[in-house]
PDB file of all heavy atoms in Angstrom:
ATOM      1  N   PRO F 181       0.799  -1.235   0.000  1.00  0.00           N
ATOM      2  CA  PRO F 181       0.000   0.000   0.000  1.00  0.00           C
ATOM      3  C   PRO F 181       0.831   1.285   0.000  1.00  0.00           C
ATOM      4  O   PRO F 181       0.307   2.353  -0.344  1.00  0.00           O
ATOM      5  CB  PRO F 181      -0.826  -0.113   1.290  1.00  0.00           C
ATOM      6  CG  PRO F 181      -0.870  -1.578   1.597  1.00  0.00           C
ATOM      7  CD  PRO F 181       0.448  -2.108   1.138  1.00  0.00           C
ATOM      8  N   THR F 182       2.122   1.202   0.377  1.00  0.00           N
ATOM      9  CA  THR F 182       2.963   2.407   0.369  1.00  0.00           C
ATOM     10  C   THR F 182       3.221   2.920  -1.040  1.00  0.00           C
ATOM     11  O   THR F 182       3.745   4.019  -1.223  1.00  0.00           O
ATOM     12  CB  THR F 182       4.312   2.150   1.074  1.00  0.00           C
ATOM     13  OG1 THR F 182       5.070   1.187   0.334  1.00  0.00           O
ATOM     14  CG2 THR F 182       4.098   1.641   2.495  1.00  0.00           C
ATOM     15  N   LEU F 183       2.865   2.127  -2.051  1.00  0.00           N
ATOM     16  CA  LEU F 183       3.060   2.541  -3.437  1.00  0.00           C
ATOM     17  C   LEU F 183       1.977   3.507  -3.928  1.00  0.00           C
ATOM     18  O   LEU F 183       2.074   4.040  -5.026  1.00  0.00           O
ATOM     19  CB  LEU F 183       3.097   1.315  -4.367  1.00  0.00           C
ATOM     20  CG  LEU F 183       4.264   0.344  -4.165  1.00  0.00           C
ATOM     21  CD1 LEU F 183       4.109  -0.871  -5.079  1.00  0.00           C
ATOM     22  CD2 LEU F 183       5.592   1.045  -4.444  1.00  0.00           C
ATOM     23  N   GLU F 184       0.934   3.712  -3.113  1.00  0.00           N
ATOM     24  CA  GLU F 184      -0.107   4.674  -3.482  1.00  0.00           C
ATOM     25  C   GLU F 184       0.515   6.060  -3.667  1.00  0.00           C
ATOM     26  O   GLU F 184       1.351   6.492  -2.871  1.00  0.00           O
ATOM     27  CB  GLU F 184      -1.193   4.739  -2.399  1.00  0.00           C
ATOM     28  CG  GLU F 184      -2.108   3.517  -2.353  1.00  0.00           C
ATOM     29  CD  GLU F 184      -3.039   3.429  -3.535  1.00  0.00           C
ATOM     30  OE1 GLU F 184      -3.230   4.441  -4.244  1.00  0.00           O
ATOM     31  OE2 GLU F 184      -3.592   2.324  -3.764  1.00  0.00           O
ATOM     32  N   LYS F 185       0.073   6.738  -4.735  1.00  0.00           N
ATOM     33  CA  LYS F 185       0.514   8.101  -5.076  1.00  0.00           C
ATOM     34  C   LYS F 185       1.981   8.158  -5.512  1.00  0.00           C
ATOM     35  O   LYS F 185       2.530   9.239  -5.725  1.00  0.00           O
ATOM     36  CB  LYS F 185       0.294   9.076  -3.913  1.00  0.00           C
ATOM     37  CG  LYS F 185      -1.130   9.071  -3.344  1.00  0.00           C
ATOM     38  CD  LYS F 185      -2.155   9.464  -4.383  1.00  0.00           C
ATOM     39  CE  LYS F 185      -3.548   9.491  -3.778  1.00  0.00           C
ATOM     40  NZ  LYS F 185      -4.587   9.820  -4.816  1.00  0.00           N
ATOM     41  N   VAL F 186       2.635   7.004  -5.632  1.00  0.00           N
ATOM     42  CA  VAL F 186       4.033   6.929  -6.067  1.00  0.00           C
ATOM     43  C   VAL F 186       4.068   6.551  -7.555  1.00  0.00           C
ATOM     44  O   VAL F 186       3.277   5.711  -7.979  1.00  0.00           O
ATOM     45  CB  VAL F 186       4.808   5.881  -5.239  1.00  0.00           C
ATOM     46  CG1 VAL F 186       6.225   5.691  -5.778  1.00  0.00           C
ATOM     47  CG2 VAL F 186       4.841   6.283  -3.773  1.00  0.00           C
ATOM     48  N   PRO F 187       4.948   7.168  -8.365  1.00  0.00           N
ATOM     49  CA  PRO F 187       5.072   6.720  -9.751  1.00  0.00           C
ATOM     50  C   PRO F 187       5.618   5.291  -9.808  1.00  0.00           C
ATOM     51  O   PRO F 187       6.709   5.015  -9.315  1.00  0.00           O
ATOM     52  CB  PRO F 187       6.046   7.726 -10.380  1.00  0.00           C
ATOM     53  CG  PRO F 187       6.775   8.348  -9.230  1.00  0.00           C
ATOM     54  CD  PRO F 187       5.835   8.321  -8.074  1.00  0.00           C
ATOM     55  N   VAL F 188       4.847   4.387 -10.375  1.00  0.00           N
ATOM     56  CA  VAL F 188       5.191   2.963 -10.416  1.00  0.00           C
ATOM     57  C   VAL F 188       5.111   2.464 -11.854  1.00  0.00           C
ATOM     58  O   VAL F 188       4.183   2.805 -12.589  1.00  0.00           O
ATOM     59  CB  VAL F 188       4.235   2.133  -9.537  1.00  0.00           C
ATOM     60  CG1 VAL F 188       4.603   0.643  -9.584  1.00  0.00           C
ATOM     61  CG2 VAL F 188       4.223   2.633  -8.106  1.00  0.00           C
ATOM     62  N   VAL F 189       6.093   1.660 -12.256  1.00  0.00           N
ATOM     63  CA  VAL F 189       6.020   0.965 -13.542  1.00  0.00           C
ATOM     64  C   VAL F 189       6.261  -0.519 -13.298  1.00  0.00           C
ATOM     65  O   VAL F 189       7.080  -0.903 -12.469  1.00  0.00           O
ATOM     66  CB  VAL F 189       7.033   1.507 -14.577  1.00  0.00           C
ATOM     67  CG1 VAL F 189       6.725   2.950 -14.930  1.00  0.00           C
ATOM     68  CG2 VAL F 189       8.467   1.372 -14.076  1.00  0.00           C
ATOM     69  N   VAL F 190       5.511  -1.336 -14.010  1.00  0.00           N
ATOM     70  CA  VAL F 190       5.702  -2.779 -13.992  1.00  0.00           C
ATOM     71  C   VAL F 190       6.396  -3.164 -15.294  1.00  0.00           C
ATOM     72  O   VAL F 190       6.038  -2.682 -16.369  1.00  0.00           O
ATOM     73  CB  VAL F 190       4.359  -3.518 -13.844  1.00  0.00           C
ATOM     74  CG1 VAL F 190       4.563  -5.032 -13.947  1.00  0.00           C
ATOM     75  CG2 VAL F 190       3.697  -3.163 -12.517  1.00  0.00           C
ATOM     76  N   LEU F 191       7.387  -4.038 -15.184  1.00  0.00           N
ATOM     77  CA  LEU F 191       8.221  -4.388 -16.314  1.00  0.00           C
ATOM     78  C   LEU F 191       7.827  -5.740 -16.906  1.00  0.00           C
ATOM     79  O   LEU F 191       7.185  -6.556 -16.252  1.00  0.00           O
ATOM     80  CB  LEU F 191       9.698  -4.399 -15.892  1.00  0.00           C
ATOM     81  CG  LEU F 191      10.191  -3.136 -15.170  1.00  0.00           C
ATOM     82  CD1 LEU F 191      11.654  -3.273 -14.802  1.00  0.00           C
ATOM     83  CD2 LEU F 191       9.959  -1.897 -16.022  1.00  0.00           C
ATOM     84  N   SER F 192       8.224  -5.972 -18.136  1.00  0.00           N
ATOM     85  CA  SER F 192       7.933  -7.211 -18.839  1.00  0.00           C
ATOM     86  C   SER F 192       8.636  -8.388 -18.179  1.00  0.00           C
ATOM     87  O   SER F 192       9.441  -8.236 -17.255  1.00  0.00           O
ATOM     88  CB  SER F 192       8.356  -7.095 -20.299  1.00  0.00           C
ATOM     89  OG  SER F 192       9.746  -6.785 -20.389  1.00  0.00           O
ATOM     90  N   ASN F 193       8.344  -9.601 -18.690  1.00  0.00           N
ATOM     91  CA  ASN F 193       8.873 -10.818 -18.081  1.00  0.00           C
ATOM     92  C   ASN F 193      10.367 -10.773 -17.802  1.00  0.00           C
ATOM     93  O   ASN F 193      10.833 -11.228 -16.772  1.00  0.00           O
ATOM     94  CB  ASN F 193       8.576 -12.022 -18.979  1.00  0.00           C
ATOM     95  CG  ASN F 193       7.180 -12.564 -18.745  1.00  0.00           C
ATOM     96  OD1 ASN F 193       6.625 -12.378 -17.675  1.00  0.00           O
ATOM     97  ND2 ASN F 193       6.610 -13.241 -19.712  1.00  0.00           N
ATOM     98  N   ASN F 194      11.113 -10.232 -18.728  1.00  0.00           N
ATOM     99  CA  ASN F 194      12.556 -10.178 -18.571  1.00  0.00           C
ATOM    100  C   ASN F 194      13.048  -8.814 -18.122  1.00  0.00           C
ATOM    101  O   ASN F 194      14.217  -8.467 -18.318  1.00  0.00           O
ATOM    102  CB  ASN F 194      13.250 -10.583 -19.878  1.00  0.00           C
ATOM    103  CG  ASN F 194      13.136 -12.068 -20.147  1.00  0.00           C
ATOM    104  OD1 ASN F 194      13.185 -12.870 -19.232  1.00  0.00           O
ATOM    105  ND2 ASN F 194      12.963 -12.440 -21.397  1.00  0.00           N
ATOM    106  N   ASP F 195      12.158  -8.049 -17.500  1.00  0.00           N
ATOM    107  CA  ASP F 195      12.496  -6.716 -16.993  1.00  0.00           C
ATOM    108  C   ASP F 195      13.022  -5.795 -18.082  1.00  0.00           C
ATOM    109  O   ASP F 195      13.805  -4.889 -17.808  1.00  0.00           O
ATOM    110  CB  ASP F 195      13.525  -6.808 -15.847  1.00  0.00           C
ATOM    111  CG  ASP F 195      12.977  -7.526 -14.626  1.00  0.00           C
ATOM    112  OD1 ASP F 195      11.737  -7.582 -14.475  1.00  0.00           O
ATOM    113  OD2 ASP F 195      13.788  -8.018 -13.811  1.00  0.00           O
ATOM    114  N   GLY F 196      12.575  -6.018 -19.315  1.00  0.00           N
ATOM    115  CA  GLY F 196      13.134  -5.263 -20.428  1.00  0.00           C
ATOM    116  C   GLY F 196      12.436  -3.949 -20.732  1.00  0.00           C
ATOM    117  O   GLY F 196      13.077  -2.973 -21.118  1.00  0.00           O
ATOM    118  N   CYS F 197      11.097  -3.929 -20.582  1.00  0.00           N
ATOM    119  CA  CYS F 197      10.360  -2.723 -20.946  1.00  0.00           C
ATOM    120  C   CYS F 197       9.116  -2.573 -20.069  1.00  0.00           C
ATOM    121  O   CYS F 197       8.691  -3.506 -19.383  1.00  0.00           O
ATOM    122  CB  CYS F 197       9.970  -2.752 -22.429  1.00  0.00           C
ATOM    123  SG  CYS F 197       8.935  -4.149 -22.899  1.00  0.00           S
ATOM    124  N   VAL F 198       8.529  -1.393 -20.110  1.00  0.00           N
ATOM    125  CA  VAL F 198       7.371  -1.050 -19.280  1.00  0.00           C
ATOM    126  C   VAL F 198       6.096  -1.639 -19.890  1.00  0.00           C
ATOM    127  O   VAL F 198       5.796  -1.416 -21.060  1.00  0.00           O
ATOM    128  CB  VAL F 198       7.242   0.476 -19.147  1.00  0.00           C
ATOM    129  CG1 VAL F 198       5.948   0.843 -18.415  1.00  0.00           C
ATOM    130  CG2 VAL F 198       8.456   1.055 -18.423  1.00  0.00           C
ATOM    131  N   VAL F 199       5.320  -2.385 -19.085  1.00  0.00           N
ATOM    132  CA  VAL F 199       4.058  -2.951 -19.557  1.00  0.00           C
ATOM    133  C   VAL F 199       2.854  -2.412 -18.792  1.00  0.00           C
ATOM    134  O   VAL F 199       1.713  -2.670 -19.167  1.00  0.00           O
ATOM    135  CB  VAL F 199       4.068  -4.495 -19.485  1.00  0.00           C
ATOM    136  CG1 VAL F 199       5.096  -5.080 -20.431  1.00  0.00           C
ATOM    137  CG2 VAL F 199       4.317  -4.999 -18.056  1.00  0.00           C
ATOM    138  N   SER F 200       3.095  -1.658 -17.709  1.00  0.00           N
ATOM    139  CA  SER F 200       1.998  -1.031 -16.982  1.00  0.00           C
ATOM    140  C   SER F 200       2.540   0.175 -16.231  1.00  0.00           C
ATOM    141  O   SER F 200       3.675   0.152 -15.740  1.00  0.00           O
ATOM    142  CB  SER F 200       1.349  -2.019 -16.007  1.00  0.00           C
ATOM    143  OG  SER F 200       0.219  -1.437 -15.342  1.00  0.00           O
ATOM    144  N   ARG F 201       1.722   1.245 -16.147  1.00  0.00           N
ATOM    145  CA  ARG F 201       2.158   2.495 -15.506  1.00  0.00           C
ATOM    146  C   ARG F 201       1.074   3.028 -14.588  1.00  0.00           C
ATOM    147  O   ARG F 201      -0.104   2.946 -14.913  1.00  0.00           O
ATOM    148  CB  ARG F 201       2.451   3.562 -16.574  1.00  0.00           C
ATOM    149  CG  ARG F 201       3.425   3.152 -17.660  1.00  0.00           C
ATOM    150  CD  ARG F 201       3.277   4.051 -18.884  1.00  0.00           C
ATOM    151  NE  ARG F 201       1.994   3.846 -19.527  1.00  0.00           N
ATOM    152  CZ  ARG F 201       1.435   4.698 -20.401  1.00  0.00           C
ATOM    153  NH1 ARG F 201       2.067   5.817 -20.702  1.00  0.00           N
ATOM    154  NH2 ARG F 201       0.256   4.426 -20.944  1.00  0.00           N
ATOM    155  N   SER F 202       1.474   3.558 -13.471  1.00  0.00           N
ATOM    156  CA  SER F 202       0.526   4.278 -12.635  1.00  0.00           C
ATOM    157  C   SER F 202       0.231   5.625 -13.282  1.00  0.00           C
ATOM    158  O   SER F 202       0.969   6.081 -14.170  1.00  0.00           O
ATOM    159  CB  SER F 202       1.098   4.474 -11.233  1.00  0.00           C
ATOM    160  OG  SER F 202       2.212   5.367 -11.272  1.00  0.00           O
ATOM    161  N   ASN F 203      -0.832   6.278 -12.837  1.00  0.00           N
ATOM    162  CA  ASN F 203      -1.151   7.608 -13.370  1.00  0.00           C
ATOM    163  C   ASN F 203      -0.006   8.586 -13.123  1.00  0.00           C
ATOM    164  O   ASN F 203       0.277   9.458 -13.953  1.00  0.00           O
ATOM    165  CB  ASN F 203      -2.435   8.137 -12.749  1.00  0.00           C
ATOM    166  CG  ASN F 203      -3.676   7.396 -13.253  1.00  0.00           C
ATOM    167  OD1 ASN F 203      -3.670   6.844 -14.351  1.00  0.00           O
ATOM    168  ND2 ASN F 203      -4.735   7.377 -12.445  1.00  0.00           N
ATOM    169  N   GLU F 204       0.661   8.440 -11.985  1.00  0.00           N
ATOM    170  CA  GLU F 204       1.790   9.310 -11.663  1.00  0.00           C
ATOM    171  C   GLU F 204       2.932   9.122 -12.654  1.00  0.00           C
ATOM    172  O   GLU F 204       3.613  10.070 -13.045  1.00  0.00           O
ATOM    173  CB  GLU F 204       2.285   9.046 -10.236  1.00  0.00           C
ATOM    174  CG  GLU F 204       1.275   9.379  -9.140  1.00  0.00           C
ATOM    175  CD  GLU F 204       0.224   8.304  -8.935  1.00  0.00           C
ATOM    176  OE1 GLU F 204       0.334   7.219  -9.565  1.00  0.00           O
ATOM    177  OE2 GLU F 204      -0.693   8.533  -8.134  1.00  0.00           O
ATOM    178  N   ALA F 205       3.155   7.871 -13.080  1.00  0.00           N
ATOM    179  CA  ALA F 205       4.195   7.582 -14.071  1.00  0.00           C
ATOM    180  C   ALA F 205       3.803   8.113 -15.442  1.00  0.00           C
ATOM    181  O   ALA F 205       4.641   8.616 -16.191  1.00  0.00           O
ATOM    182  CB  ALA F 205       4.459   6.078 -14.130  1.00  0.00           C
ATOM    183  N   LYS F 206       2.517   8.003 -15.771  1.00  0.00           N
ATOM    184  CA  LYS F 206       2.031   8.544 -17.045  1.00  0.00           C
ATOM    185  C   LYS F 206       2.236  10.050 -17.095  1.00  0.00           C
ATOM    186  O   LYS F 206       2.610  10.603 -18.131  1.00  0.00           O
ATOM    187  CB  LYS F 206       0.555   8.202 -17.239  1.00  0.00           C
ATOM    188  CG  LYS F 206       0.260   6.718 -17.407  1.00  0.00           C
ATOM    189  CD  LYS F 206      -1.243   6.463 -17.481  1.00  0.00           C
ATOM    190  CE  LYS F 206      -1.549   4.975 -17.568  1.00  0.00           C
ATOM    191  NZ  LYS F 206      -3.014   4.702 -17.567  1.00  0.00           N
ATOM    192  N   ASP F 207       1.984  10.720 -15.961  1.00  0.00           N
ATOM    193  CA  ASP F 207       2.149  12.179 -15.899  1.00  0.00           C
ATOM    194  C   ASP F 207       3.598  12.609 -16.106  1.00  0.00           C
ATOM    195  O   ASP F 207       3.855  13.738 -16.525  1.00  0.00           O
ATOM    196  CB  ASP F 207       1.640  12.707 -14.557  1.00  0.00           C
ATOM    197  CG  ASP F 207       0.128  12.585 -14.401  1.00  0.00           C
ATOM    198  OD1 ASP F 207      -0.568  12.441 -15.435  1.00  0.00           O
ATOM    199  OD2 ASP F 207      -0.366  12.614 -13.243  1.00  0.00           O
ATOM    200  N   LEU F 208       4.529  11.716 -15.829  1.00  0.00           N
ATOM    201  CA  LEU F 208       5.946  12.001 -16.057  1.00  0.00           C
ATOM    202  C   LEU F 208       6.345  11.829 -17.519  1.00  0.00           C
ATOM    203  O   LEU F 208       7.483  12.112 -17.897  1.00  0.00           O
ATOM    204  CB  LEU F 208       6.823  11.105 -15.180  1.00  0.00           C
ATOM    205  CG  LEU F 208       6.777  11.365 -13.664  1.00  0.00           C
ATOM    206  CD1 LEU F 208       7.534  10.263 -12.922  1.00  0.00           C
ATOM    207  CD2 LEU F 208       7.364  12.726 -13.337  1.00  0.00           C
ATOM    208  N   GLY F 209       5.396  11.337 -18.332  1.00  0.00           N
ATOM    209  CA  GLY F 209       5.671  11.164 -19.755  1.00  0.00           C
ATOM    210  C   GLY F 209       6.314   9.834 -20.104  1.00  0.00           C
ATOM    211  O   GLY F 209       6.847   9.675 -21.209  1.00  0.00           O
ATOM    212  N   ILE F 210       6.263   8.858 -19.194  1.00  0.00           N
ATOM    213  CA  ILE F 210       6.830   7.542 -19.472  1.00  0.00           C
ATOM    214  C   ILE F 210       5.886   6.792 -20.406  1.00  0.00           C
ATOM    215  O   ILE F 210       4.737   6.540 -20.057  1.00  0.00           O
ATOM    216  CB  ILE F 210       7.031   6.742 -18.170  1.00  0.00           C
ATOM    217  CG1 ILE F 210       7.969   7.501 -17.224  1.00  0.00           C
ATOM    218  CG2 ILE F 210       7.574   5.355 -18.464  1.00  0.00           C
ATOM    219  CD1 ILE F 210       8.020   6.918 -15.824  1.00  0.00           C
ATOM    220  N   PRO F 211       6.340   6.424 -21.611  1.00  0.00           N
ATOM    221  CA  PRO F 211       5.448   5.756 -22.556  1.00  0.00           C
ATOM    222  C   PRO F 211       5.332   4.257 -22.284  1.00  0.00           C
ATOM    223  O   PRO F 211       6.221   3.657 -21.678  1.00  0.00           O
ATOM    224  CB  PRO F 211       6.126   6.009 -23.912  1.00  0.00           C
ATOM    225  CG  PRO F 211       7.588   6.106 -23.584  1.00  0.00           C
ATOM    226  CD  PRO F 211       7.672   6.716 -22.199  1.00  0.00           C
ATOM    227  N   MET F 212       4.222   3.673 -22.724  1.00  0.00           N
ATOM    228  CA  MET F 212       4.083   2.232 -22.670  1.00  0.00           C
ATOM    229  C   MET F 212       5.141   1.595 -23.580  1.00  0.00           C
ATOM    230  O   MET F 212       5.393   2.057 -24.686  1.00  0.00           O
ATOM    231  CB  MET F 212       2.682   1.818 -23.121  1.00  0.00           C
ATOM    232  CG  MET F 212       2.406   0.329 -22.981  1.00  0.00           C
ATOM    233  SD  MET F 212       2.357  -0.184 -21.265  1.00  0.00           S
ATOM    234  CE  MET F 212       0.651   0.106 -20.917  1.00  0.00           C
ATOM    235  N   GLY F 213       5.769   0.524 -23.082  1.00  0.00           N
ATOM    236  CA  GLY F 213       6.807  -0.147 -23.856  1.00  0.00           C
ATOM    237  C   GLY F 213       8.178   0.484 -23.755  1.00  0.00           C
ATOM    238  O   GLY F 213       9.108   0.071 -24.455  1.00  0.00           O
TER     239      GLY F 213
END
């Protein structure tokens, strides 16, 4: 729960690229993939 309001990205199986973003991460301009 401490991840609330924190910019978070979830990475692909091999930690290679972003497959999910929190709204905070989206606001930073981090694109999918």
Side-chain angles (χ1 to χ4, degrees):
T182 65
L183 295 176
E184 287 290 343
K185 308 299 182 183
V186 174
V188 180
V189 296
V190 175
L191 309 180
S192 58
N193 276 335
N194 287 323
D195 296 338
C197 60
V198 174
V199 295
S200 183
R201 306 160 293 163
S202 68
N203 289 334
E204 296 80 6
K206 294 175 183 177
D207 292 341
L208 291 172
I210 301 169
M212 185 67 88

